[in-house]
mmCIF file of all heavy atoms in Angstrom:
data_model
loop_
_atom_site.group_PDB
_atom_site.id
_atom_site.type_symbol
_atom_site.label_atom_id
_atom_site.label_comp_id
_atom_site.label_asym_id
_atom_site.label_seq_id
_atom_site.Cartn_x
_atom_site.Cartn_y
_atom_site.Cartn_z
ATOM 1 N N THR Q 1081 -2.884 -8.638 1.241
ATOM 2 C CA THR Q 1081 -3.362 -9.938 0.788
ATOM 3 C C THR Q 1081 -2.267 -10.984 0.668
ATOM 4 O O THR Q 1081 -2.502 -12.163 0.929
ATOM 5 C CB THR Q 1081 -4.065 -9.782 -0.573
ATOM 6 O OG1 THR Q 1081 -4.965 -8.672 -0.505
ATOM 7 C CG2 THR Q 1081 -4.841 -11.020 -0.931
ATOM 8 N N THR Q 1082 -1.086 -10.581 0.252
ATOM 9 C CA THR Q 1082 -0.017 -11.551 0.014
ATOM 10 C C THR Q 1082 1.181 -11.269 0.908
ATOM 11 O O THR Q 1082 1.387 -10.139 1.361
ATOM 12 C CB THR Q 1082 0.436 -11.500 -1.456
ATOM 13 O OG1 THR Q 1082 0.909 -10.183 -1.759
ATOM 14 C CG2 THR Q 1082 -0.708 -11.846 -2.399
ATOM 15 N N ILE Q 1083 1.963 -12.308 1.117
ATOM 16 C CA ILE Q 1083 3.201 -12.152 1.907
ATOM 17 C C ILE Q 1083 4.123 -11.133 1.260
ATOM 18 O O ILE Q 1083 4.810 -10.366 1.939
ATOM 19 C CB ILE Q 1083 3.911 -13.520 2.031
ATOM 20 C CG1 ILE Q 1083 3.223 -14.374 3.103
ATOM 21 C CG2 ILE Q 1083 5.371 -13.356 2.377
ATOM 22 C CD1 ILE Q 1083 3.495 -13.937 4.524
ATOM 23 N N THR Q 1084 4.144 -11.116 -0.074
ATOM 24 C CA THR Q 1084 5.037 -10.206 -0.800
ATOM 25 C C THR Q 1084 4.401 -8.856 -1.077
ATOM 26 O O THR Q 1084 5.028 -7.998 -1.687
ATOM 27 C CB THR Q 1084 5.443 -10.844 -2.143
ATOM 28 O OG1 THR Q 1084 4.252 -11.120 -2.896
ATOM 29 C CG2 THR Q 1084 6.190 -12.147 -1.912
ATOM 30 N N GLY Q 1085 3.139 -8.646 -0.651
ATOM 31 C CA GLY Q 1085 2.429 -7.423 -1.005
ATOM 32 C C GLY Q 1085 2.944 -6.178 -0.316
ATOM 33 O O GLY Q 1085 2.828 -5.081 -0.847
ATOM 34 N N THR Q 1086 3.497 -6.328 0.859
ATOM 35 C CA THR Q 1086 4.022 -5.175 1.589
ATOM 36 C C THR Q 1086 5.190 -5.616 2.454
ATOM 37 O O THR Q 1086 5.290 -6.796 2.837
ATOM 38 C CB THR Q 1086 2.917 -4.530 2.452
ATOM 39 O OG1 THR Q 1086 3.426 -3.375 3.117
ATOM 40 C CG2 THR Q 1086 2.389 -5.492 3.490
ATOM 41 N N SER Q 1087 6.065 -4.701 2.751
ATOM 42 C CA SER Q 1087 7.287 -5.042 3.495
ATOM 43 C C SER Q 1087 6.979 -5.531 4.907
ATOM 44 O O SER Q 1087 7.705 -6.376 5.447
ATOM 45 C CB SER Q 1087 8.223 -3.829 3.555
ATOM 46 O OG SER Q 1087 7.570 -2.719 4.131
ATOM 47 N N THR Q 1088 5.890 -5.046 5.517
ATOM 48 C CA THR Q 1088 5.569 -5.480 6.881
ATOM 49 C C THR Q 1088 5.228 -6.974 6.917
ATOM 50 O O THR Q 1088 5.605 -7.681 7.855
ATOM 51 C CB THR Q 1088 4.390 -4.665 7.435
ATOM 52 O OG1 THR Q 1088 3.293 -4.750 6.529
ATOM 53 C CG2 THR Q 1088 4.776 -3.207 7.615
ATOM 54 N N ASN Q 1089 4.523 -7.461 5.888
ATOM 55 C CA ASN Q 1089 4.221 -8.894 5.820
ATOM 56 C C ASN Q 1089 5.496 -9.719 5.678
ATOM 57 O O ASN Q 1089 5.650 -10.771 6.307
ATOM 58 C CB ASN Q 1089 3.288 -9.184 4.637
ATOM 59 C CG ASN Q 1089 1.916 -8.558 4.804
ATOM 60 O OD1 ASN Q 1089 1.611 -7.980 5.842
ATOM 61 N ND2 ASN Q 1089 1.089 -8.669 3.792
ATOM 62 N N LEU Q 1090 6.407 -9.244 4.850
ATOM 63 C CA LEU Q 1090 7.665 -9.961 4.647
ATOM 64 C C LEU Q 1090 8.499 -9.984 5.917
ATOM 65 O O LEU Q 1090 9.102 -11.006 6.273
ATOM 66 C CB LEU Q 1090 8.454 -9.306 3.510
ATOM 67 C CG LEU Q 1090 7.977 -9.611 2.087
ATOM 68 C CD1 LEU Q 1090 8.646 -8.675 1.093
ATOM 69 C CD2 LEU Q 1090 8.272 -11.047 1.716
ATOM 70 N N ILE Q 1091 8.540 -8.859 6.618
ATOM 71 C CA ILE Q 1091 9.306 -8.783 7.861
ATOM 72 C C ILE Q 1091 8.722 -9.740 8.897
ATOM 73 O O ILE Q 1091 9.458 -10.444 9.599
ATOM 74 C CB ILE Q 1091 9.324 -7.331 8.395
ATOM 75 C CG1 ILE Q 1091 10.101 -6.429 7.439
ATOM 76 C CG2 ILE Q 1091 9.933 -7.264 9.794
ATOM 77 C CD1 ILE Q 1091 9.947 -4.953 7.740
ATOM 78 N N PHE Q 1092 7.380 -9.766 8.997
ATOM 79 C CA PHE Q 1092 6.740 -10.691 9.922
ATOM 80 C C PHE Q 1092 7.080 -12.141 9.587
ATOM 81 O O PHE Q 1092 7.419 -12.944 10.472
ATOM 82 C CB PHE Q 1092 5.227 -10.499 9.893
ATOM 83 C CG PHE Q 1092 4.462 -11.696 10.379
ATOM 84 C CD1 PHE Q 1092 4.411 -12.009 11.734
ATOM 85 C CD2 PHE Q 1092 3.807 -12.536 9.480
ATOM 86 C CE1 PHE Q 1092 3.724 -13.124 12.185
ATOM 87 C CE2 PHE Q 1092 3.117 -13.649 9.922
ATOM 88 C CZ PHE Q 1092 3.079 -13.954 11.275
ATOM 89 N N ALA Q 1093 6.973 -12.507 8.301
ATOM 90 C CA ALA Q 1093 7.209 -13.898 7.899
ATOM 91 C C ALA Q 1093 8.637 -14.324 8.224
ATOM 92 O O ALA Q 1093 8.861 -15.425 8.751
ATOM 93 C CB ALA Q 1093 6.930 -14.058 6.402
ATOM 94 N N GLU Q 1094 9.598 -13.459 7.946
ATOM 95 C CA GLU Q 1094 10.995 -13.822 8.228
ATOM 96 C C GLU Q 1094 11.256 -13.879 9.728
ATOM 97 O O GLU Q 1094 11.947 -14.792 10.220
ATOM 98 C CB GLU Q 1094 11.929 -12.810 7.555
ATOM 99 C CG GLU Q 1094 13.401 -13.138 7.697
ATOM 100 C CD GLU Q 1094 13.775 -14.460 7.060
ATOM 101 O OE1 GLU Q 1094 13.122 -14.847 6.071
ATOM 102 O OE2 GLU Q 1094 14.712 -15.123 7.565
ATOM 103 N N HIS Q 1095 10.721 -12.919 10.474
ATOM 104 C CA HIS Q 1095 10.901 -12.930 11.934
ATOM 105 C C HIS Q 1095 10.279 -14.184 12.529
ATOM 106 O O HIS Q 1095 10.897 -14.850 13.381
ATOM 107 C CB HIS Q 1095 10.259 -11.690 12.551
ATOM 108 C CG HIS Q 1095 10.167 -11.742 14.054
ATOM 109 N ND1 HIS Q 1095 11.207 -11.343 14.872
ATOM 110 C CD2 HIS Q 1095 9.178 -12.154 14.891
ATOM 111 C CE1 HIS Q 1095 10.854 -11.510 16.139
ATOM 112 N NE2 HIS Q 1095 9.622 -12.008 16.175
ATOM 113 N N PHE Q 1096 9.076 -14.516 12.097
ATOM 114 C CA PHE Q 1096 8.370 -15.672 12.659
ATOM 115 C C PHE Q 1096 9.104 -16.967 12.324
ATOM 116 O O PHE Q 1096 9.292 -17.830 13.191
ATOM 117 C CB PHE Q 1096 6.939 -15.710 12.108
ATOM 118 C CG PHE Q 1096 6.105 -16.800 12.710
ATOM 119 C CD1 PHE Q 1096 5.461 -16.610 13.922
ATOM 120 C CD2 PHE Q 1096 5.957 -18.017 12.062
ATOM 121 C CE1 PHE Q 1096 4.689 -17.610 14.486
ATOM 122 C CE2 PHE Q 1096 5.190 -19.023 12.609
ATOM 123 C CZ PHE Q 1096 4.560 -18.821 13.832
ATOM 124 N N ASN Q 1097 9.508 -17.122 11.071
ATOM 125 C CA ASN Q 1097 10.190 -18.355 10.667
ATOM 126 C C ASN Q 1097 11.566 -18.482 11.305
ATOM 127 O O ASN Q 1097 12.047 -19.597 11.522
ATOM 128 C CB ASN Q 1097 10.305 -18.415 9.144
ATOM 129 C CG ASN Q 1097 8.960 -18.595 8.469
ATOM 130 O OD1 ASN Q 1097 8.060 -19.215 9.020
ATOM 131 N ND2 ASN Q 1097 8.809 -18.033 7.281
#
Side-chain angles (χ1 to χ4, degrees):
T1081 313
T1082 60
I1083 281 286
T1084 58
T1086 182
S1087 57
T1088 54
N1089 294 355
L1090 283 168
I1091 294 169
F1092 158 74
E1094 184 62 30
H1095 169 86
F1096 184 84
N1097 292 329

